[in-house]
Amino acid sequence: MSTATQNRGFGAVLWDYLTTVDHKKIGILYLIGGGFFFILGGLEAMIIRIQLMVPENDFISAGLYNEMITMHGTTMIFLAAMPLLIGLMNYIMPLQIGARDVAFPFLNSLGFWLFFLGGVLLNCSWFLGGAPDAGWTSYAPLSIQSPGHGVDFYVMGLQLSGAGTLIGGINFLVTIVTMRAPGMTYMRMPLFTWTTFVISVLILFAFPALTVGLFLLMFDRMFGSAFFDVALGGNAVIWQHLFWIFGHPEVYILILPAFGIFSETFPTFSKKRLFGYTAMVFATILIAFLGFMVWAHHMFTVGLGPTANAIFAIATMAIAVPTGIKIFNWLATMWGGSITINSAMLWTLAFIPSFTIGGMTGVMLASSVADYQYHDTYFVVAHFHYVIVGGVVFGILAGLHYWWPKMFGRILNETMGKISFWLFFIGFHLTFFIQHFLGLMGMPRRYWVFLENQGLDTGNLISTVGALLMGLGGLLFVINIIYTSVKGEKAPADPWDGRTLEWAISSPPKHYNFAQMPLVRGLDPLWIEKMDGNSKMTPAEPLDEIHMPNGSILPLIMTIGFTIASFGFIYQTDNSAWLIAVYVGMAIALGSMLIRSLKDDYGHHISKEELEREAE
């Protein structure tokens, strides 16, 4: 994205991105991949809303509608929200702790390609006989009995993507534990780094449950086992337990980084320290801890009994407490501050009422007796979209506006940013607020039509108009990105008068990030230096040569091998000749691992003289 990049040919830039192990370029790849799937998931949402615009509509068939809701949910959670957040973490977190890269750059690249090709594999199902149609939660026995290969693509696609996410989580953990700059103690880390750390722990413990569930589903569908088939002695409810033991921490894996982003934007644009930093850190840890103790609130109607229901209801209500602490601390951060209202701050401010509504309906759903009425109605759809869109998507958009100048050296157009915000914000509330009432009036989830004269016509029409406005807001944001990359104003190193380390270096940063490790003297280290009258960070070491890793094409080749093997697993049920694809794919993947193990790669050094030249 620098001038040097623009001067090279397209082929050279493409090869650079295919082989890169630089955390910043991988962060950009995650944003591109996540953005692509976000648009795809948005189009699926538009088709769903057009189908439900009027009663007894026949815009799409019942079967295609099932595929749409399954792919919309799966794409948005696993392939859009998650990777966009991981992209921001990948780019920003090492800068915030004063590191030159992540702990395992090669694995970082492998994690991205696994996510991306897993998503591509899943979406291949559209062209190869039909997408998965058992809902994004893929409940057994429906997912066992679903004809065709749709659910097989779901299983293999999520296995690949999930492995990529797990690799990313481990990488972030090791980076934060071992690579902080001198003086960067845990209680001096910015909140965004703290949330990255905490969700990496969540990934480490939550994703294995999903992996186990998907393996069992894979064996049931492809190899004739009976883990979930009740007729053969299996248990369909076990799938729900495995899915939600992963699925509920996943909600916090998504929302906590958004909380981290808001904990950066509120202080920067209020010109104040974050209020109650220590309480915010412990609230984050408590949310993560309680997040593992609430999964069965998705299963109140399964029949676990009053004791289990009561325990999970209380745990679910308890999680509102640390979240409330955060809301009040953000409000207290703004109190008496000198507040700047720009696009990033608009998304940040809009988050508080939107997410709070989602939180309140969450507490309503936490009541196991009331949940019998709410369960599987549009009330639940409204609730989780208020949490995921009003929390996570608003957070991603705030983060993109805030860090765009750092990542790409240009500031997004403010006028377009504000128009796109208002379109999306108004559209969001029009779409989902009314759905609470549709749900209370008895409209069930996942139904492809509703009948006339049930009082549901107006609400659904308003909801669809809102969705169109959201689509327009999203489209304008894409136009803003294109416009900015062509004509946007150049960004200085510190356009917002920031407080944390990422604003202490050039925009975009050099590939080694810091020529000299910064010395961290407290919370908001850059702000401390500014208050002492220093124009830049005090270095913690003399200028010396820097060792950086070399790029590698092996992560991509390894992932292509796994993808070929996945196709083999899916189709070997039709014809055992497809097992050749399994062996060939695994041979490519394992061969790449062998080359990586046996070939010495010492990286490269940047000399002291070169660093001095670049500093001039």
Side-chain angles (χ1 to χ4, degrees):
M1 291 301 174
S2 64
T3 328
T5 314
Q6 289 160 7
N7 293 341
R8 287 183 300 163
F10 175 74
V13 174
L14 181 65
W15 180 253
D16 186 25
Y17 273 86
L18 290 177
T19 60
T20 188
V21 295
D22 177 1
H23 74 96
K24 298 179 289 299
K25 287 179 180 161
I26 291 169
I28 290 167
L29 284 171
Y30 268 111
L31 294 179
I32 293 167
F36 168 72
F37 288 120
F38 191 86
I39 291 166
L40 214 55
L43 291 171
E44 286 154 1
M46 288 308 312
I47 291 166
I48 293 166
R49 280 312 326 158
I50 292 168
Q51 167 62 23
L52 292 173
M53 185 158 64
V54 291
E56 299 181 51
N57 199 355
D58 60 355
F59 177 65
I60 55 174
S61 68
L64 184 55
Y65 181 82
N66 285 346
E67 292 176 20
M68 282 294 163
I69 59 163
T70 302
M71 288 299 283
H72 166 67
T74 309
T75 302
M76 285 304 201
I77 298 284
F78 293 101
L79 307 176
M82 193 84 211
L84 287 167
L85 287 166
I86 290 177
L88 288 172
M89 291 180 220
N90 236 314
Y91 201 110
I92 300 300
M93 179 274 289
L95 302 181
Q96 287 197 329
I97 60 171
R100 292 207 168 100
D101 207 319
V102 291
F104 307 117
F106 182 91
L107 278 184
N108 202 15
S109 173
L110 178 63
F112 166 74
W113 290 113
L114 282 167
F115 139 68
F116 186 70
L117 289 182
V120 170
L121 174 69
L122 176 62
N123 280 281
C124 283
S125 59
W126 286 116
F127 310 103
L128 297 170
D133 57 359
W136 82 274
T137 54
S138 215
Y139 275 7
L142 185 60
S143 53
I144 303 290
Q145 294 162 359
S146 173
H149 287 298
V151 175
D152 300 332
F153 276 100
Y154 173 95
V155 170
M156 301 313 295
L158 291 193
Q159 286 286 36
L160 280 185
S161 283
T165 306
L166 196 53
I167 286 170
I170 294 166
N171 209 346
F172 289 155
L173 269 181
V174 180
T175 303
I176 293 170
V177 171
T178 63
M179 297 182 69
R180 289 167 300 165
M184 177 66 79
T185 61
Y186 284 107
M187 293 312 282
R188 287 176 178 174
M189 294 195 314
L191 246 289
F192 183 65
T193 299
W194 256 114
T195 54
T196 303
F197 181 70
V198 168
I199 72 115
S200 300
V201 175
L202 284 177
I203 286 170
L204 198 58
F205 288 104
F207 266 80
L210 176 69
T211 306
V212 168
L214 288 170
F215 264 116
L216 300 182
L217 186 56
M218 174 185 172
F219 276 93
D220 272 15
R221 283 189 63 90
M222 298 179 200
F223 301 106
S225 61
F227 293 106
F228 304 124
D229 190 337
V230 179
L232 296 173
N235 185 337
V237 176
I238 295 294
W239 166 264
Q240 292 193 33
H241 280 293
L242 286 169
F243 186 87
W244 288 117
I245 287 169
F246 148 79
H248 205 83
E250 168 71 5
V251 174
Y252 299 106
I253 290 169
L254 292 173
I255 197 64
L256 285 174
F259 286 177
I261 292 165
F262 297 128
S263 299
E264 303 297 316
T265 51
F266 274 122
T268 300
F269 297 122
S270 303
K271 290 282 172 285
K272 273 182 70 188
R273 254 183 78 164
L274 181 68
F275 185 89
Y277 171 85
T278 311
M280 293 292 259
V281 170
F282 284 105
T284 305
I285 295 166
L286 189 57
I287 287 171
F289 178 70
L290 289 172
F292 274 103
M293 301 166 67
V294 297
W295 81 86
H297 68 211
H298 296 270
M299 301 166 62
F300 281 150
T301 58
V302 163
L304 298 178
T307 309
N309 282 0
I311 290 166
F312 283 102
I314 291 162
T316 306
M317 292 175 193
I319 213 161
V321 177
T323 313
I325 289 169
K326 284 177 169 289
I327 300 277
F328 285 114
N329 278 5
W330 286 319
L331 292 171
T333 303
M334 288 191 290
W335 185 271
S338 170
I339 297 172
T340 307
I341 304 286
N342 54 20
S343 303
M345 191 58 170
L346 276 175
W347 287 109
T348 306
L349 291 168
F351 150 80
I352 287 194
S354 308
F355 183 79
T356 304
I357 292 170
M360 283 164 19
T361 52
V363 174
M364 291 168 71
L365 289 162
S367 168
S368 54
V369 285
D371 189 72
Y372 273 79
Q373 302 297 321
Y374 302 131
H375 196 84
D376 269 346
T377 70
Y378 259 69
F379 188 87
V380 179
V381 177
H383 155 70
F384 74 66
H385 281 89
Y386 262 85
V387 173
I388 300 295
V389 182
V392 180
V393 176
F394 282 20
I396 290 166
L397 288 161
L400 287 172
H401 279 91
Y402 180 59
W403 282 310
W404 198 268
K406 181 51 59 187
M407 296 191 284
F408 300 107
R410 292 174 186 271
I411 297 173
L412 286 168
N413 182 283
E414 271 300 313
T415 310
M416 266 195 259
K418 284 175 178 164
I419 296 168
S420 124
F421 162 77
W422 285 112
L423 280 171
F424 195 95
F425 178 71
I426 293 165
F428 162 68
H429 285 286
L430 274 180
T431 306
F432 297 111
F433 192 71
I434 196 88
Q435 288 183 8
H436 291 106
F437 302 101
L438 288 171
L440 294 173
M441 289 158 73
M443 183 168 167
R445 290 166 73 173
R446 307 189 184 97
Y447 277 43
W448 74 296
V449 289
F450 60 96
L451 303 176
E452 284 181 6
N453 305 320
Q454 292 187 315
L456 304 174
D457 307 22
T458 313
N460 274 298
L461 182 62
I462 291 169
S463 195
T464 300
V465 170
L468 287 165
L469 284 177
M470 283 171 82
L472 282 174
L475 181 64
L476 190 57
F477 180 66
V478 174
I479 293 167
N480 192 356
I481 289 171
I482 297 163
Y483 174 83
T484 302
S485 60
V486 178
K487 286 193 166 175
E489 57 173 301
K490 289 275 194 295
D494 184 14
W496 314 126
D497 195 15
R499 312 174 74 84
T500 43
L501 280 180
E502 73 267 31
W503 305 110
I505 50 176
S506 62
S507 300
K510 301 277 193 291
H511 81 283
Y512 48 79
N513 297 349
F514 297 90
Q516 292 165 277
M517 283 286 129
L519 179 66
V520 175
R521 296 194 290 146
L523 188 61
D524 294 346
L526 181 58
W527 194 256
I528 291 171
E529 301 294 335
K530 286 178 182 174
M531 292 300 100
D532 285 355
N534 301 329
S535 58
K536 58 183 198 299
M537 291 299 299
T538 308
E541 59 178 16
L543 193 65
D544 201 1
E545 70 170 20
I546 296 172
H547 174 253
M548 295 299 286
N550 288 328
S552 173
I553 193 70
L554 286 176
L556 176 56
I557 294 172
M558 211 181 286
T559 310
I560 289 169
F562 287 130
T563 310
I564 292 167
S566 299
F567 276 109
F569 276 121
I570 290 166
Y571 285 108
Q572 52 81 33
T573 53
D574 300 343
N575 186 338
S576 56
W578 276 94
L579 286 169
I580 296 167
V582 175
Y583 299 133
V584 169
M586 293 310 284
I588 293 169
L590 295 169
S592 303
M593 289 181 192
L594 193 65
I595 292 167
R596 170 70 180 167
S597 304
L598 299 177
K599 182 170 150 277
D600 288 330
D601 182 359
Y602 297 115
H604 62 278
H605 286 82
I606 301 157
S607 68
K608 191 172 163 183
E609 293 72 33
E610 196 181 329
L611 291 169
E612 283 167 346
R613 269 202 313 278
E614 288 192 354
E616 284 163 11

